[in-house]
Each structure stands twice: as C-alpha cells, then as structure tokens.
C-alpha cells in the first residue's frame, strides 16, 4: 500500500509538472515527448535554487484535489528536488535536502527482505556467469520511471565477482551513465584512492549502486525507484557474497539496511545484510564537497581493514 501511495504521488507529481506521457511500457521508443528530456534534465542554474519546504508544500498543494497527505508530501519532496538541482551529485547526512527527502518517505524494507539468502554459496568459477545472468534479467529495464528519464546506459556493477569487499553507492551520475561503469567520475577517482589506501586494487573489490539508472539531474532516487531496483542488488550480493559491504552515503545505507536514520548514527558500528557485515561511511561526492570529513571516512575504512585483516600499503620514504 505504501508503495502504491508513493507511485501515485510520483505520477501526480509528474502530472503537476505537465508530464503526462512518461511511463509507457508498450513502446519504449515513443516515451519522451518533445522537450521533456530537457525539462527533466533541468539546466543547472549558476547558484542553487532551493525553495523552503513550506514554499514547496504550498506549490505542491495547489491543484492536488483529493490527494492523500502522504502523496502530497511525497510530491512536495519531489518538487523540491526538481528545483534544487545545482548541487553536484549525491546527498549526504549533512545535506538539508536529504533530510527533507528522508522525512517524507516511508521506511524502506531492508535488502534482507528481498527473498531468502541462498544457503549455498556459488563456486568461485560460477559467479561471473551468475552475475551475467542477473544482468540479462535486467535487460533494457522499464520497471521504474528512471527508464524514461533520459538514461543512456544501465550501470550494473564492476569488479571482481569473488570480491571479499563490496562498495555500494547511490546511483550513476553523468560519467557513469555515459560509460555504463559505476564510479568513474570525480567521486569514482576518490573512491579509487580510498580503495588504494586500504591496500587493495579496484579490480579486487566489487562496486554497485542502489539504482542502476541515472536519476535526472543527479537527484536522489525515489523510493519506488530504489525499492524496484533493489532486487537486482540483492542478487548481486548473493552471487558475490562479500564479507563486508561499505555503504557509501545515506541513500546506500537507507536502502541496504532498511533504516531511516541520519548517517552519523549508523557510522562506527557493524550492521548486516544478506550475510555480509555492513559498514557505513560518507559518500565520496560528499567528501569532495567537504574534504574535512575525509579523516572520519578513513576511520570507517580502517575499521573495515581491521575486520578483514588488511594492512595499508607502506609509503615510500
Ligand atoms: N555516485 C554514485 O553513487 N554512484 C556512482 O556510480 C557514481 C557516483
């Protein structure tokens, strides 16, 4: 029921934006009406334009008729995200926009709720093929509205199918959408540095996201989008069976763990999902915006290293 309300709110919100023809299943080729892509992509203004929650609520309340209050507030949150597009990518625990999203959305299910974790672990040699099978099941996905929001490539995952360590981010940005590979932009370069600092190579870990398609204007994935996509992330985790998963940022933590808590309250402790231990840390895009938090993120990664028996590479003197 909650999912239905969210979906309804999403559709209402698009209707309020004058978008009527977005969620067509029968012919993906005719899905984007003239000019819609531009409207969804929303040109980035020079300075952030962030409406207050109250103003956004007021706008969303106009003309919503008999819409439910849950739907109205979800639509308001959606509208707020569309007018606040100047930020780089990815919200974080200290991002006021994130808090607005968080307060309006229902508590998501944990990834543990997505089917039973298989008892048997696949043999090492079978995992690459199993991941390929998951990718094939995704196909040219049209299961959620992100399929119609200007995506170029589905960004499935990258790295070693036998990895002991997995990183989960929020969703593809422009560079990832372009290449089909997660974390290849600026945030990806920082993630690579973080992996190297842990004494690992990028090829030795597995990297995926909560959603596999780029949200327009790098907005936070909607509840319906994240919960629709999570079945595939769950299957990726079940195939790789990492010992440790690092949730990068609030969105990853929220949808992996099924919690609605600030990131700060999730850091510094071990969680678990689908048989893996989960550590929560800041998203690299946030660390690019606020490099003072890199020391805190490094503390999180050091806990992971201790857990996994990893030691940092020696620096040349
Ligand atoms: N941010 C993410 O969360 N994921 C990516 O793949 C790239 C940027």
């Amino acid at each position: 029921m909650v999912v239905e309300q969210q979906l309804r709110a999403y559709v209402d919100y698009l209707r309020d934006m004058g978008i009527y023809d977005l969620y067509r299943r029968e012919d993906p080729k005719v899905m984007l009406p003239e000019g819609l892509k531009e409207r969804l992509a929303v040109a980035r203004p020079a300075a952030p334009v962030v409406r207050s929650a109250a103003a956004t609520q007021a706008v969303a309340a106009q003309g919503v008729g008999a819409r439910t209050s849950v739907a109205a507030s979800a639509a308001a949150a959606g509208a707020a995200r569309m007018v606040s597009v100047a930020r780089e990518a990815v919200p974080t625990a200290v991002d006021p926009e994130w808090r607005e999203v968080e307060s309006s959305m229902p508590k998501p299910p944990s990834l543990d709720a997505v089917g039973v974790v298989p008892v048997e672990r696949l043999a090492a040699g079978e995992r690459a093929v199993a991941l390929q099978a998951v990718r094939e099941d995704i196909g040219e996905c049209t299961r959620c509205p992100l399929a119609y929001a200007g995506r170029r490539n589905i960004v499935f995952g990258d790295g070693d199918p036998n990895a002991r360590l997995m990183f989960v981010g929020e969703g593809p940005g422009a560079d990832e959408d372009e290449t089909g590979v997660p974390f290849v932009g600026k945030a990806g370069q920082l993630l690579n540095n973080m992996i190297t600092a842990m004494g690992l190579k990028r090829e030795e870990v597995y990297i995926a996201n909560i959603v596999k398609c780029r949200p327009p204007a790098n907005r936070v994935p909607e509840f319906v989008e994240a919960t629709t996509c999570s079945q595939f992330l769950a299957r990726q985790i079940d195939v790789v069976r990492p010992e440790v998963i690092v949730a990068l940022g609030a969105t990853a933590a929220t949808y992996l763990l099924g919690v609605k808590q600030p990131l700060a309250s999730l850091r510094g402790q071990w969680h678990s999902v689908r048989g893996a231990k989960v550590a929560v840390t800041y998203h690299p895009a946030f660390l690019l915006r606020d490099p003072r938090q890199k020391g805190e993120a490094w503390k999180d990664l050091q806990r992971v290293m201790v857990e996994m028996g990893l030691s940092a590479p020696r620096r040349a003197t």
Side-chain angles (χ1 to χ4, degrees), residues 38-61:
E38 288 70 30
R39 267 188 284 157
L40 282 176
V42 189
R44 288 171 182 234
V49 184
V50 183
R51 277 187 205 163
S52 71
T56 309
Q57 290 276 4
V59 170

Side-chain angles (χ1 to χ4, degrees), residues 90 169-173 176 182-183 209 283:
V90 184
E170 177 177 300
E176 292 76 21
F183 281 100
N209 281 307
H283 193 287

Side-chain angles (χ1 to χ4, degrees), residues 205-258:
V205 304
Y206 192 81
I207 304 174
N209 281 307
I210 293 293
V211 292
K212 302 201 180 323
C213 299
R214 183 188 182 199
N218 294 331
R219 64 154 170 72
V220 185
E222 292 283 342
F223 180 91
V224 216
E225 296 158 357
T227 52
T228 303
C229 212
S230 58
Q231 56 182 306
F232 299 109
L233 179 59
R235 286 174 64 190
Q236 285 170 292
I237 295 171
D238 290 348
V239 171
V240 177
R241 285 288 186 99
E243 288 163 41
V244 174
I245 297 175
V246 176
L248 298 167
T251 300
T254 298
Y255 289 102
L256 278 172
L257 304 176

Side-chain angles (χ1 to χ4, degrees), residues 10 20 36 76 154 210 229 274:
Y10 200 87
Y20 296 95
L36 173 58
I154 293 174
I210 293 293
C229 212
R274 304 198 80 76

